[in-house]
Amino acid sequence: MNRVIARKLAANVSRLKVRQEYFCTDAAAGVSGFNRGQSSQEQKEKNDFANNIQQYDIAIVGGGMVGMALACSLASMPLTKHLNVAIIDSNPALGSRVRLKKGDPPDARVSTVTPATISLFKDVGAWQYIEQNRHAYFHKMQVWDYTGLGYTRYNARDINKEVLGCVVENKVLHDSLLSCIETTDFQKTFHPSRLTSMTLHQSSSSMGMDSTLLKTTSSSLGHLAKLELSDGKSIFAKLVVGADGGKSRVRELAGFKTTGWNYSQNAVICTVEHSVENRCAWQRFLPAGPIALLPMGNNFSNIVWTMNPKEAGNRKLMNEDDFVKDTNAALDYGYGPHPKSSLLEMGDMFSWLRGDVTLSATEGFEVPPKVVKLASERMVFPLSLKHANDYASKRVVLIGDAAHTVHPLAGQGVNMGFGDALALSRVIAEGIAVGIDIGEVTMLKKYEEERKRTNIMMMAILDGFQKAYSVDFGPLNILRAAVFHGANYISPLKRNIISYASGDQRLPLFS
């Protein structure tokens, strides 16, 4: 009996062990399955995170004329046309724009582009679109003083060029660049948003993710700039280009300091109409500041009139007839007499320096065409000079008004910006050619060195002219008249002035 009970107990114990082993094995399998599920979920999150990262070679903040010129220049160069570029601008016209029509009314905002800028637009393929819209080449320019003591004329023939420049509405320049970029297979993405913050050195905590999810991407993201946009998106780029104007957010976030001052002057700009076509650029220096009359084609011209803020406010609000009357007085019979067509004594004074007399020196003083009516609204802008102490740091670079703003005295501001765009695209191409990271500061400083030297010289010249013509003082007026005549009769000086203003980057010194 005892033996039977013992055998039954042994059998029960054996069955319990089997069940226990089965349970443990099943439990282990369950835990293993859970771990496999967890690992799969983590991997999925990693993959989703990596796929959702918008990573670019270059992020251009600012899709205006200068920013788009940079994009077009990059798209046209063999070493840079493969780059993946983001263009960040809250202007909705960049993504879905309305085509310009030839019959559209003229705009008050125009630019006088130099032969150097025209060459840039032709090289990238944008100039063909400008020629389909309103624009005006000019081959001569007249500058004179309200005192009647001096004037000078410049002609493209003096430097063996066909034109001195071309006046184009800003909307036409911008549209031509957009049309150009659309015809390329350049990898560009428009972000209709604003830049809110920028981080140049990434860490896992700054992204709000568990560090284990960043193992596959941290090595690459650590070498990118992170940009937070107003629509909630985050993008990453090897290089951030600030092309976002005089109040640059990129410049602010990158910590670039600026030097400059306000001029206590405003510019009144508008488009006017004549009864005949204007084919010359005119600029007259008045006691409160210069007034420029720039041809636009189709009997239109653009006015850029500098004066003190109070006068600017009054002229913006005065009725059209009074404004037209004031404009004609400023360009012709007001403030002082016409300069004499020739001052033989002054010409003789410079005869030992002038060498061969330029063709324009033999041409007499001309009166600008009379304004008959307004063709646009009047706009007023405060004037200032501002210059960034640095253009570049690691992964960040400034171009255009983000780097420098100048007095509109000679219409050089936008041309300086276009020069920045071309120079930066060339430096980026050189860096790619030798395998350098395009966000590396040593490479970007080459761009800064080239452009800062050129821009500071132009800014100094324009600021000097502004200050020289801000004082109405008898002896100084005579000295200014002598400078006018010297520029008119001394051929080497005159040629250098025209070449420099045309974008040849030579200093206006004797050659």
Side-chain angles (χ1 to χ4, degrees):
M1 182 68 181
N2 290 334
R3 290 178 181 177
V4 174
I5 293 173
R7 282 197 300 269
K8 288 183 178 180
L9 287 173
N12 289 336
V13 169
S14 177
R15 284 194 296 271
L16 286 173
K17 285 181 178 180
V18 170
R19 290 179 180 177
Q20 184 179 23
E21 288 173 359
Y22 175 81
F23 175 78
C24 291
T25 302
D26 189 60
V31 172
S32 177
F34 174 78
N35 288 336
R36 284 197 301 271
Q38 185 181 44
S39 177
S40 176
Q41 180 64 25
E42 286 181 353
Q43 187 62 44
K44 183 178 183 299
E45 290 182 4
K46 288 179 181 180
N47 292 337
D48 289 346
F49 176 65
N51 292 334
N52 288 331
I53 290 175
Q54 298 187 62
Q55 182 175 329
Y56 301 92
D57 294 303
I58 300 174
I60 302 174
V61 183
M65 294 186 293
V66 173
M68 290 307 304
L70 173 62
C72 288
S73 185
L74 292 171
S76 68
M77 302 174 71
L79 289 173
T80 57
K81 65 181 181 180
H82 68 280
L83 296 176
N84 189 10
V85 175
I87 301 170
I88 302 163
D89 195 300
S90 58
N91 182 0
L94 290 177
S96 56
R97 61 194 179 89
V98 178
R99 296 284 181 177
L100 295 179
K101 298 178 181 178
K102 290 186 178 180
D104 287 348
D107 194 65
R109 291 163 293 189
V110 307
S111 294
T112 304
V113 293
T114 63
T117 294
I118 294 172
S119 294
L120 166 62
F121 272 66
K122 288 181 177 179
D123 289 343
V124 302
W127 195 253
Q128 59 178 316
Y129 300 103
I130 289 175
E131 292 184 323
Q132 297 170 9
N133 291 280
R134 184 170 40 234
H135 64 286
Y137 293 102
F138 61 94
H139 66 270
K140 61 182 180 179
M141 181 175 184
Q142 178 175 284
V143 184
W144 72 106
D145 190 287
Y146 72 94
T147 62
L149 296 175
Y151 79 97
T152 187
R153 292 178 65 82
Y154 301 105
N155 198 305
R157 293 173 296 175
D158 294 336
I159 56 171
N160 298 316
K161 289 185 179 292
E162 294 183 0
V163 298
L164 291 178
C166 185
V167 181
V168 189
E169 292 161 69
N170 288 357
K171 66 181 182 182
V172 174
L173 285 169
H174 193 235
D175 190 74
S176 72
L177 293 165
L178 286 171
S179 298
C180 176
I181 202 74
E182 284 180 353
T183 61
T184 70
D185 55 0
F186 192 53
Q187 299 180 67
K188 74 280 184 185
T189 303
F190 291 102
H191 291 272
S193 188
R194 292 178 293 101
L195 174 66
T196 57
S197 66
M198 180 170 63
T199 307
L200 301 181
H201 301 288
Q202 297 300 330
S203 65
S204 59
S205 60
S206 68
M207 297 182 199
M209 299 288 293
D210 191 307
S211 61
T212 59
L213 299 180
L214 298 174
K215 292 180 181 179
T216 60
T217 55
S218 60
S219 60
S220 60
L221 294 184
H223 298 285
L224 302 176
K226 180 184 180 184
L227 289 78
E228 299 281 358
L229 307 183
S230 58
D231 60 5
K233 292 181 181 178
S234 297
I235 68 172
F236 298 84
K238 296 177 184 176
L239 174 62
V240 179
V241 180
D244 48 344
K247 298 179 180 179
S248 172
R249 180 67 171 159
V250 172
R251 187 183 65 215
E252 177 189 354
L253 292 173
F256 290 117
K257 303 300 182 183
T258 61
T259 301
W261 47 83
N262 294 323
Y263 281 120
S264 298
Q265 289 179 318
N266 286 356
V268 177
I269 67 170
C270 61
T271 297
V272 296
E273 190 171 350
H274 312 284
S275 58
V276 297
E277 186 167 359
N278 177 26
R279 298 181 181 274
C280 178
W282 313 83
Q283 184 158 274
R284 188 186 190 193
F285 286 94
L286 304 175
I291 181 172
L293 182 72
L294 307 172
M296 293 176 60
N298 301 341
N299 290 13
F300 294 115
S301 290
N302 187 257
I303 294 284
V304 182
W305 192 353
T306 302
M307 61 192 75
N308 66 57
K310 183 178 180 181
E311 289 178 327
N314 291 338
R315 286 202 166 91
K316 177 178 171 61
L317 298 175
M318 69 172 44
N319 66 61
E320 179 178 336
D321 290 341
D322 288 341
F323 181 81
V324 169
K325 182 179 179 180
D326 276 8
T327 300
N328 284 321
L331 288 167
D332 185 6
Y333 53 83
Y335 298 92
H338 295 159
K340 295 180 180 179
S341 291
S342 64
L343 290 181
L344 296 178
E345 323 82 56
M346 193 66 72
D348 292 339
M349 181 186 303
F350 293 112
S351 61
W352 63 282
L353 279 173
R354 68 191 182 193
D356 57 323
V357 178
T358 59
L359 292 172
S360 55
T362 63
E363 298 175 353
F365 176 84
E366 292 185 23
V367 176
K370 191 175 292 291
V371 174
V372 295
K373 66 177 181 179
L374 275 172
S376 77
E377 64 175 325
R378 284 161 281 180
M379 307 175 73
V380 177
F381 295 97
L383 303 181
S384 63
L385 180 147
K386 183 181 292 184
H387 188 253
N389 298 344
D390 296 289
Y391 289 7
S393 64
K394 189 172 180 63
R395 309 229 168 269
V396 183
V397 67
L398 304 178
I399 62 175
D401 284 358
H404 44 74
T405 55
V406 298
H407 196 287
L409 186 65
Q412 290 296 324
V414 72
N415 293 292
M416 292 164 65
F418 289 139
D420 293 345
L422 177 60
L424 179 58
S425 63
R426 286 176 175 169
V427 167
I428 291 172
E430 291 170 3
I432 292 173
V434 296
I436 298 177
D437 178 359
I438 62 173
E440 187 58 47
V441 67
T442 53
M443 184 195 77
L444 299 175
K445 284 294 182 180
K446 292 181 181 179
Y447 153 78
E448 177 181 311
E449 181 181 0
E450 175 187 345
R451 291 306 300 168
K452 184 181 282 189
R453 179 175 60 250
T454 300
N455 291 337
I456 287 177
M457 179 57 67
M458 179 61 76
M459 295 175 79
I461 292 170
L462 297 178
D463 186 60
F465 267 102
Q466 190 277 332
K467 287 180 167 56
Y469 283 91
S470 295
V471 179
D472 186 18
F473 179 57
L476 183 59
N477 294 344
I478 295 173
L479 178 61
R480 288 197 302 246
V483 171
F484 266 119
H485 285 285
N488 202 34
Y489 287 101
I490 303 174
S491 299
L493 175 60
K494 187 172 191 175
R495 282 194 293 268
N496 274 274
I497 291 174
I498 300 173
S499 294
Y500 189 72
S502 298
D504 287 347
Q505 307 306 333
R506 287 188 295 158
L507 300 182
L509 303 173
F510 298 132
S511 58

